[in-house]
Structure formats: structure tokens, C-alpha cells
Amino acid sequence: MAQHFSLAACDVVGFDLDHTLCRYNLPESAVLIYNSFAQFLVKEKGYDKELLTVTPEDWDFCCKGLALDLEDGNFIKLADNGTVLRASHGTKMMAPEALAEEYGRKEWKHFMSDAGMACRSGKYYFYDNYFDLPGALLCARVVDSLTKNNGQKTFDFWKDIVAGIQHNYKMSAFKENCGIYFPEIKRDPGRYLHTCPESVKKWLQQLKNAGKILLLITSSHSDYCRLLCEYILGNDFTDLFDIVITNALKPGFFSHLPSQRPFWTLENDEEQEALPSLDKPGWYSQGNAVHLYELLKKMTGKNDPKVVYFGDSMHSDIFPARHYSNWETVLILEELRGDRDWKPEESEPLEKKGKYEGSKAKPLNTLSKKWGSFFIDSVSGLESTEDSLVYTWSCKRISTYSTIAIPSIEAIAELPLDYKFSRFSSSNSKTAGYYPNPPLILSNNETLTSK
């Protein structure tokens, strides 16, 4: 594989929407998502009212890359070799002795050595993106509550979380204005969404002018997608994209056969009829990467058009696009932004505050004191030996499945299209593919070896 990656060499440029093209104001959106679930659990399922009260300190629990064991209520952080680096029961962190007794130095029981192991199963759930993270805090607090009040050792609350998803985020929720999330986003989009900077809008137009086919592939439904795009890009956003695919149900969009997941036509944002194949550009629902690629061949006149896909989720975007479709992948990794450019915003006057103001979350892309770095962590040494640093499982997957990783699209929008990025695969360096800079913690520990 070539040592460098360039957008100029790509025929097709595809984008995820949420947390990729559309950036959210994380301290606000996190509280809204948390409340959408907490209110449901308390009012509809009879959970403890204390779930509704969140302190600013509580948000430190949120960290991407954690797994929740759905049976015992433990959250874990994995090393690249599948051993457990840190763990908590609910929000209560395990002491080193308890961690050693519970997990030892062996692979976690659900770990599979392929770095692409499933992120969702009946036994565990991986928290992979910013939409997921408020749910991690809520589930941890549910475990705390059930442990304290009921003395529970095993847990079956996940079915109630799934019911909360169905209530707040089902396909018809936006249209019916039900639940908490969609009505609030509609009421005040500017509070939760960042508009695309002019540099990004110009860059998208530059890609179009260079003859690239532009795709938007999102698991959000058509009506919500339209609201987001009109707010962040303007009412003429459809001029930018040749093909828009909503309700894509990723990662299934990439992994399922065409017969399992046909494309559907849309009318007034509602699905109409299933298509045997995809014959022309347009706006569609569901679908599969195989039929999409056949259309891209026709549109480019090439047998093997080169596609790059930008996304924020390793589980839904990056891993499946690389593994199943062999596309180039650009991971949007806000952890690269960290707290460098974040400043506390001035508080709004009380009369302007919304119904679900709550306690502001910390920006979810900043370091968790409880869980430590997303990229590396220490393994406590035996007596008389020093602690050693190892890569996390999340970090290993970045360098395995991403072509490059960037903090935001804005970070590359003013570069020429033929700019040559160093790929992750271009050397043994685990930092090669990060642009503009690798995480500081990786730069300071470049000699770190994989376990």
C-alpha cells in the first residue's frame, strides 16, 4: 500500500453526519441525551428519582472505549491484548487488588483477538461514540442504585434502556414530536449544534468542483438528517451531495447482503418501495454498500473507483467500511482536540435556560480522571517491578482500521486536495496517521511496545 494518502486520488468522498459533518455542543447535547433516558426510566419504569440529578463531577465517568458487562454491571477498559486495565462496578472504581482478583492478567471473557470484535452483543455493550456516552453514565448510576437499594448482584435493566431508545429515537419520533430529544433539538438547534465553518463549506464545494462524487451515509432518519443539514450547511445543502442515504443502519449497511438490506425510495421523508438495485443518484433510505458501489462504478466509469469515508464511530463507520468494503477511512477523533481549545462558556441568563438545563457536562472529549487516557494506560507491575505502559484496545483499532485520524473536518479543510497524509500503515510508528499532531501522551511514549 502507498505510504501516503491523498484526497486527490479518491473518486468518491463519503461522510457520516452526526459528530462528523455535524459537530455537537457536547456539554449541552450530553445532558439532553442523558435526560431523554433518565426521565423515561424514572417515569415509565419506576427507577429511583436520584437518576434525574447529575452533578458536574459525575460526567468524569464518561470515556469512550469502555465496555459494560450486562450481567454483572461492571465497566471495563481493555488493553490491546484483551486484558483488563481498569474496571468499575457501576460508577465505583475497583481498587487494584479487587481488579486483580476479578480479572487477573488473562483476556477478558468476551474478548476475541480480532480487533474488529463485535461492539454489541447480548452479553456486553461497547461505548464507542458521543451519542453513547451519556448512556454509560446513566447505566453506571442504575447499577449503583440497584446495588444499594436492592442488593442486586446480577442485572437485567438493559431491556429498559432499549425501551428508552425505542421511545425517544424510533423512526417516527421526530415527526410525532415524542420523547425528549427531538422536540428539544427542534426548539433550539443552535444550543446543541455547531454550524459548519465557511472553510468546510468551501472545501466540500472544492471537492465537487474537482469532480469528486460526494456521499452522505447516516443512520439518522431522513427528517432529522434534513434538519441537521439545513442548520449546519444551509437550505441548499442538497446541491453538495450526489447521493444521500439515511436510516443506513450501520454497520449493517456495510456487512449485510443486498437481499438483507435493499434501498428504499422516500417520499416526504417516509419509506415507499424497496429497490432491486440502485440505478441513479438521489436520496434513499437503508440500503447496502454492494449496490451503492455498483452505482459508483457507473457514475465514475471505473471498475474500481476509490472511495474514502469519514466517520466518528469505529464500530459503525471505520471498521465496517474498511473491513467489508475496503474503503479508505478517516476517523474523526475529537480526543485529539482534547481540552486545548475549550473554554468554559459564559452562563446564559436564567430566563434563557431551557427546560433540561441540568448540570453542564464537561466536554466529553477531555480526559477522564477515573479512566485515564483513551490511548494508553499503565499495567501495575509485580512487587519490585515498575508499572509498564500499554496501548488500549481502542488505540490499536485506530491504527489498524483508519487510514488517518483527525480532530475535525475543519482541521484539513484549508489544505490542498493533493496534500499527502502519512498513513497509519506507512511505518511501525503508532503515531504516523494522526493529523495535525498525534495525541501528546503517544508522542511522549513512542517507544511503547504492543503487548
Side-chain angles (χ1 to χ4, degrees):
M1 189 176 274
Q3 187 177 355
H4 293 100
F5 164 73
S6 162
L7 285 166
C10 297
D11 304 296
V12 182
V13 185
F15 300 94
D16 171 45
L17 180 57
D18 296 273
H19 302 291
T20 299
L21 264 182
C22 177
R23 283 187 53 229
Y24 285 74
N25 179 4
L26 296 178
E28 295 284 3
S29 63
V31 173
L32 178 61
I33 293 164
Y34 180 95
N35 274 310
S36 74
F37 286 104
Q39 298 269 353
F40 177 82
L41 290 185
V42 172
K43 290 177 180 172
E44 304 296 327
K45 299 293 181 181
Y47 282 74
D48 196 310
K49 285 190 176 66
E50 68 186 15
L51 292 176
L52 301 175
T53 309
V54 189
T55 69
E57 295 72 38
D58 289 333
W59 291 100
D60 182 63
F61 185 82
C62 293
C63 176
K64 277 200 322 205
L66 303 182
L68 164 60
D69 187 313
L70 297 176
E71 187 180 34
D72 63 21
N74 289 353
F75 286 78
I76 62 162
K77 179 184 182 184
L78 288 173
D80 62 356
N81 65 350
T83 55
V84 177
L85 291 166
R86 301 189 192 201
S88 72
H89 181 68
T91 63
K92 310 293 186 289
M93 300 303 293
M94 285 188 190
E97 302 75 33
L99 185 73
E101 187 179 334
E102 180 81 22
Y103 296 106
R105 297 222 168 166
K106 58 185 186 296
E107 279 187 3
W108 180 48
K109 61 187 174 185
H110 299 306
F111 186 76
M112 291 176 279
S113 56
D114 171 27
M117 66 185 271
C119 277
R120 292 172 198 174
S121 85
K123 299 185 186 325
Y124 59 86
Y125 189 93
F126 267 103
Y127 290 90
D128 170 67
N129 60 63
Y130 294 126
F131 200 86
D132 276 349
L133 284 190
L137 174 59
L138 179 65
C139 287
R141 298 188 73 215
V142 166
V143 170
D144 290 347
S145 173
L146 294 175
T147 302
K148 183 178 86 175
N149 298 330
N150 306 3
Q152 279 182 232
K153 298 266 193 306
T154 59
F155 300 88
D156 63 351
F157 63 83
W158 190 251
K159 64 183 185 303
D160 296 330
I161 299 292
V162 172
I165 295 171
Q166 178 61 15
H167 173 70
N168 280 286
Y169 303 100
K170 63 186 176 185
M171 198 169 185
S172 60
F174 185 95
K175 189 175 183 181
E176 293 169 6
N177 224 34
C178 72
I180 284 173
Y181 183 81
F182 290 125
E184 182 64 10
I185 295 276
K186 286 186 201 176
R187 186 189 72 78
D188 191 2
R191 180 171 174 180
Y192 302 101
L193 310 173
H194 293 300
T195 55
C196 275
E198 280 305 311
S199 61
V200 172
K201 294 180 189 175
K202 284 179 183 166
W203 178 77
L204 291 169
Q205 193 58 57
Q206 189 185 0
L207 288 166
K208 285 282 287 183
N209 295 345
K212 311 298 180 193
I213 292 170
L214 265 57
L215 310 174
L216 188 60
I217 308 174
T218 174
S219 291
S220 287
H221 298 307
S222 181
D223 43 16
Y224 185 52
C225 170
R226 197 179 298 279
L227 178 146
L228 294 183
C229 289
E230 285 178 357
Y231 183 79
I232 67 168
L233 290 168
N235 292 339
D236 58 351
F237 76 91
T238 50
D239 296 343
L240 286 170
F241 299 102
D242 299 279
I243 301 169
V244 176
I245 300 163
T246 58
N247 194 24
L249 304 169
K250 296 175 290 181
F253 179 84
F254 295 102
S255 62
H256 285 195
L257 298 171
S259 58
Q260 297 172 292
R261 190 66 64 76
F263 281 93
W264 287 73
T265 59
L266 283 162
E267 196 173 307
N268 298 324
D269 296 318
E270 304 234 343
E271 293 179 353
Q272 298 297 311
E273 60 175 314
L275 300 172
S277 63
L278 198 60
D279 298 322
K280 61 184 183 204
W283 189 303
Y284 300 96
S285 186
Q286 298 196 47
N288 61 86
V290 174
H291 280 167
L292 172 62
Y293 198 66
E294 289 303 313
L295 176 60
L296 296 175
K297 287 181 186 178
K298 279 190 207 167
M299 291 173 72
T300 58
K302 294 184 176 181
N303 288 329
D304 190 20
K306 189 169 183 181
V307 185
V308 59
Y309 188 63
F310 288 70
D312 70 296
S313 168
M314 179 58 68
H315 168 66
S316 301
D317 301 317
I318 303 303
F319 168 71
R322 169 60 59 86
H323 183 74
Y324 297 106
S325 298
N326 201 29
W327 291 358
E328 301 279 12
T329 53
V330 179
L331 175 64
I332 304 295
L333 188 64
E334 288 203 36
E335 281 71 14
L336 294 176
R337 178 189 301 279
D339 52 6
R340 285 179 198 169
D341 63 356
W342 180 77
K343 298 177 183 65
E345 291 170 21
E346 290 181 25
S347 187
E348 290 185 319
L350 274 175
E351 63 272 15
K352 280 196 76 184
K353 293 192 173 184
K355 190 174 172 187
Y356 298 104
E357 178 68 42
S359 297
K360 275 257 180 94
K362 66 158 194 167
L364 299 186
N365 52 19
T366 54
L367 188 70
S368 161
K369 294 188 183 76
K370 281 192 170 180
W371 292 104
S373 169
F374 176 70
F375 301 97
I376 63 176
D377 211 335
S378 58
V379 176
S380 53
L382 303 168
E383 285 162 34
S384 80
T385 63
E386 291 183 13
D387 289 2
S388 57
L389 288 171
V390 296
Y391 291 108
T392 63
W393 181 68
S394 299
C395 185
K396 180 182 181 182
R397 298 177 89 218
I398 292 169
S399 56
T400 305
Y401 296 109
S402 313
T403 303
I404 60 171
I406 59 177
S408 64
I409 290 174
E410 192 180 354
I412 65 168
E414 293 184 2
L415 297 173
L417 295 186
D418 60 359
Y419 182 89
K420 290 182 167 53
F421 296 93
S422 294
R423 295 173 173 274
F424 276 112
S425 55
S426 62
S427 69
N428 291 327
S429 166
K430 281 279 198 298
T431 60
Y434 293 105
Y435 180 90
N437 300 300
L440 209 52
I441 196 162
L442 286 188
S443 303
N444 294 341
N445 295 281
E446 262 223 82
T447 54
L448 195 59
T449 54
S450 287
K451 296 294 277 180

